[in-house]
């Protein structure tokens, strides 16, 4: 069985082919980062128009890489939400039409389920049950995953998503969009003890997050700085350290509450080296296991959608003929 996956929920068009036995056999991505950078963030209408231009050439590209023709496909998976409605509709229309023309099923995939399953694309995949930490540009969540498709949300951000906090803090430091990866580079030469930033909500016995205050703390330090050029590496490092400590605290609570010792970390922010090493050392201390996706599959991609699509396809969850997307969609509604 071979599933084509199409991701188009935000500013990346990703396409991939996943084989039931061989795993991932081809993937391609076009990122719109350069196009949106000039505006300091994603412009939804430009995103939709660009997805329209990219999606068919990317499908042709993965078919060529996999040495296949479209008639070899058994199903077409697409991101049905959450995300930008226009962007989602491009992938959904393309997938639904192609599936109809080929007389094969279309499969609607939840974007966050895609992120959550991305570590399963690696050679040593995590085994269920586990706790998942999802940290992306739109979501920050701790989830107890007892089996595929069974999600219990243990906690989430009450305000900004972590990726958003990275992007806004990066902007305060004069970095371009998306700031997360640039802030990581800047933090490399920083001193983690230069500033004392808050570890938000770590004194509360729950698995919820709040990052708005941390971003304000960065704003205050930026305003007080008399030489931002000199201070910004330290600010970036201390911000990242505060985030990493907060995640360690909340993951510990989530693992203890659910009585589990396996942590899966996914979403764009999980590409961050300092965050990966803080969580890895937590799990080493606990004698537990930790799993990440390779860095290129932490951010949006087609491979995770093809993988999640295969799982849903094997469970016989086929999308109806009408094209429905969900700009807002809870994982618990799956
Ligand atoms: O998962 P993702 O690609 O898209 C959403 O589903 O939201 O996540 C994008 C977010 C952006 O906020 C970006 O700045 C952040 O992930 N990000 C990072 C890093 N790479 C991407 N944040 C911190 N460090 C990174 N290396
Ligand atoms: Zn994403």
């Amino acid at each position: 069985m071979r599933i084509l996956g199409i991701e188009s929920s935000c500013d990346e068009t990703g396409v991939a082919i996943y084989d039931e036995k061989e795993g991932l056999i081809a993937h391609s991505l076009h990122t719109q980062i350069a196009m949106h950078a000039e505006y300091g963030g994603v412009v939804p209408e430009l995103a939709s128009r660009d997805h329209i231009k990219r999606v068919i050439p990317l499908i042709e590209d993965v078919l060529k890489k996999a040495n296949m023709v479209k008639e070899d496909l058994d199903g077409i998976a697409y991101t049905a939400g959450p995300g930008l409605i226009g962007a989602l509709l491009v992938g959904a229309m393309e997938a639904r039409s192609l599936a109809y023309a080929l007389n094969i099923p279309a499969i609607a995939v939840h974007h966050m389920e895609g992120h959550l399953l991305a570590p399963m694309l690696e050679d040593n995949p995590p085994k269920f049950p586990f706790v998942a930490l999802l940290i992306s540009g739109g979501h920050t969540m701790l989830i107890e995953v007892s089996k595929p498709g069974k999600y219990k949300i243990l906690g989430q951000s009450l305000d900004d998503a972590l990726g958003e906090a990275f992007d806004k803090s990066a902007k305060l430091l004069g970095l371009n969009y998306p700031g997360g990866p640039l802030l990581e580079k800047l933090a490399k030469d920083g001193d983690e003890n230069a500033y004392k930033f808050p570890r938000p909500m770590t004194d509360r016995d729950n698995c919820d997050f709040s990052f708005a205050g941390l971003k304000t703390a960065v704003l205050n330090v930026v305003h007080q700085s008399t030489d931002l050029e000199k201070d910004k590496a330290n600010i970036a490092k201390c911000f990242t350290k505060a985030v990493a400590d907060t995640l360690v605290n909340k993951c510990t609570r989530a693992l203890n509450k659910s009585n589990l010792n396996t942590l899966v970390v996914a979403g764009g922010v999980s590409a961050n080296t300092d965050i990966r090493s803080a969580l890895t050392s937590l799990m080493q201390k606990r004698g537990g296991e930790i799993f990440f996706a390779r860095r290129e599959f932490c951010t949006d991609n087609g491979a995770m959608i093809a993988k999640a699509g295969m799982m849903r396809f094997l469970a016989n969850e086929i999308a109806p003929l009408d094209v429905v997307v969900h700009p807002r969609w809870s994982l618990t509604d799956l």
Side-chain angles (χ1 to χ4, degrees), residues 7 9-12 33 82 111-112 115 134-139 161-168 170 176-185 239-240 266-276 295-301 304:
E7 155 63 31
S9 67
C10 190
D11 57 348
E12 261 101 24
I33 284 177
H111 182 77
M112 301 314 290
H115 274 303
L134 273 184
I135 38 180
S136 74
H139 294 82
L162 185 51
E164 208 180 336
F166 262 95
D167 294 340
K168 288 177 177 170
N176 216 330
Y177 178 86
L182 299 174
L183 192 145
E184 170 170 4
K185 264 195 208 133
F239 168 82
T240 311
V269 185
S270 69
N272 186 283
T273 309
D274 283 340
I275 290 175
R276 286 167 95 100
R295 273 187 177 75
E296 71 173 313
F297 292 159
C298 289
T299 44
D300 294 347
N301 63 84
M304 67 184 197

Side-chain angles (χ1 to χ4, degrees), residues 129-143:
F130 53 76
V131 167
L133 171 69
L134 273 184
I135 38 180
S136 74
H139 294 82
T140 307
M141 285 181 189
L142 273 161
I143 304 161

Side-chain angles (χ1 to χ4, degrees), residues 251-267:
C251 287
T252 303
R253 286 184 207 274
L255 292 161
N256 290 347
K257 268 185 206 291
S258 53
N259 212 12
L260 293 169
N261 214 13
T262 304
L263 184 64
V264 170
V265 191

Side-chain angles (χ1 to χ4, degrees), residues 225-236:
S225 168
T226 50
D227 188 351
L228 189 59
E229 229 12 74
K230 185 172 134 283
D231 295 340
K232 65 185 188 184
N234 287 347
I235 301 175

Side-chain angles (χ1 to χ4, degrees), residues 11-251:
D11 57 348
E12 261 101 24
T13 326
V15 179
I17 299 171
Y18 189 89
D19 180 281
E20 190 185 357
K21 295 203 175 67
E22 292 170 51
L24 183 67
I25 51 178
H27 64 100
S28 269
L29 184 92
H30 174 78
T31 176
Q32 304 175 355
I33 284 177
M35 184 179 77
H36 297 294
E38 152 178 19
Y39 304 93
V42 177
V43 183
E45 182 59 23
L46 294 184
S48 315
R49 288 173 190 221
D50 198 67
H51 285 305
I52 292 173
K53 277 202 290 205
R54 307 289 173 183
V55 69
I56 292 174
L58 284 172
I59 294 172
E60 285 167 351
D61 184 52
V62 288
L63 284 169
K64 200 165 148 206
K65 281 182 182 159
N67 206 11
M68 283 169 58
V69 289
K70 48 188 184 311
E71 287 73 17
D72 296 331
L73 296 167
D74 298 287
I76 319 269
Y78 61 96
T79 303
L84 302 170
I85 187 161
L88 288 168
L89 278 169
V90 176
M93 289 300 297
E94 177 60 30
R96 194 54 273 185
S97 322
L98 193 53
Y100 186 74
L102 295 169
N103 197 22
I104 56 176
I107 306 128
V109 170
H110 192 292
H111 182 77
M112 301 314 290
E113 179 171 73
H115 274 303
L116 202 144
L117 298 178
M120 299 205 160
L121 291 161
E122 304 306 324
D123 285 343
N124 168 32
K127 289 185 189 70
F128 297 95
F130 53 76
V131 167
L133 171 69
L134 273 184
I135 38 180
S136 74
H139 294 82
T140 307
M141 285 181 189
L142 273 161
I143 304 161
E144 186 178 328
V145 183
S146 42
K147 56 180 189 180
K150 186 106 176 64
Y151 307 119
K152 180 177 162 197
I153 296 177
L154 301 171
Q156 54 193 318
S157 179
L158 306 179
D159 42 55
D160 291 356
L162 185 51
E164 208 180 336
F166 262 95
D167 294 340
K168 288 177 177 170
S169 301
K171 203 172 196 172
L172 295 171
L173 297 174
L175 303 174
N176 216 330
Y177 178 86
L182 299 174
L183 192 145
E184 170 170 4
K185 264 195 208 133
L186 182 63
K188 270 207 180 91
D189 304 318
D191 168 8
E192 66 175 37
N193 298 311
Y195 302 95
K196 186 90 193 97
F197 285 134
R199 274 63 176 154
M201 296 187 50
T202 45
D203 55 345
R204 300 212 202 148
D205 187 20
N206 61 30
C207 299
D208 289 332
F209 303 90
S210 164
F211 292 109
L214 184 53
K215 177 194 67 198
T216 309
V218 171
L219 176 71
N220 291 338
V221 171
V222 167
H223 280 167
Q224 281 155 18
S225 168
T226 50
D227 188 351
L228 189 59
E229 229 12 74
K230 185 172 134 283
D231 295 340
K232 65 185 188 184
N234 287 347
I235 301 175
K237 186 72 179 182
C238 293
F239 168 82
T240 311
K241 178 79 170 94
V243 168
D245 286 351
T246 306
L247 294 177
V248 164
N249 174 292
K250 294 293 178 174
C251 287

